[in-house]
Amino acid sequence: MLEEAEVLKLLGPEKADRSWAALTRQGGILRFKVAGAWKYPTFQFDRRNRRIRSSFAAIKAAARAARWSDLRLLSWLMRPHLEFKEVPAATLSSQGDAVLTAFLAEVATQFHG
């Protein structure tokens, strides 16, 4: 988990100034209050490119559309999944599109299965 100051530094001042309010206001980022301070799961960030992972952004948007809470999404990302050797959160950096596909299948079964 990263603290807010670490996230702002990671994203860089130019990105943070423009998009930080929108990210937090629109729910485009996972964050949880821990001991009175906001904490951010590390897996959602592409540290090398200093941005939110595009696959995570798509997953977060699909979760919002399906009316999943942030806690439910975090739970799904942190539980073992049959399609991956690691939990989906750990697989985002190497197989982001596959994690997105698996998540979309999970959400689809909620409505169709």
Side-chain angles (χ1 to χ4, degrees):
M1 297 282 263
L2 298 172
E3 294 185 14
E4 192 164 298
E6 294 172 298
V7 173
L8 291 171
K9 184 177 178 182
L10 170 78
L11 294 177
E14 66 284 347
K15 290 181 186 173
D17 289 344
R18 272 186 288 133
S19 62
W20 186 251
L23 276 173
T24 56
R25 183 177 58 251
Q26 296 169 0
I29 192 170
L30 280 181
R31 68 181 186 160
F32 300 94
K33 205 143 216 189
V34 179
W38 289 110
K39 303 286 184 175
Y40 302 80
T42 307
F43 58 76
Q44 62 192 326
F45 301 103
D46 177 350
R47 289 176 177 255
R48 186 169 25 125
N49 295 311
R50 301 180 67 146
R51 62 184 176 87
I52 304 293
R53 290 187 189 287
S54 57
S55 54
F56 176 78
I59 290 167
K60 185 68 167 90
R64 240 186 355 260
R67 300 187 189 277
W68 277 35
S69 70
D70 284 352
L71 192 56
R72 183 176 181 189
L73 176 58
L74 180 65
S75 176
W76 186 87
L77 287 163
M78 298 304 294
R79 283 189 327 230
H81 194 281
L82 293 175
E83 293 184 37
F84 310 110
K85 292 180 182 177
E86 302 176 290
V87 297
T91 309
L92 272 172
S93 63
S94 61
Q95 299 178 54
D97 290 341
V99 175
L100 172 59
T101 300
F103 183 74
L104 293 174
E106 177 77 19
V107 173
T109 60
Q110 173 180 323
F111 296 107
H112 301 291

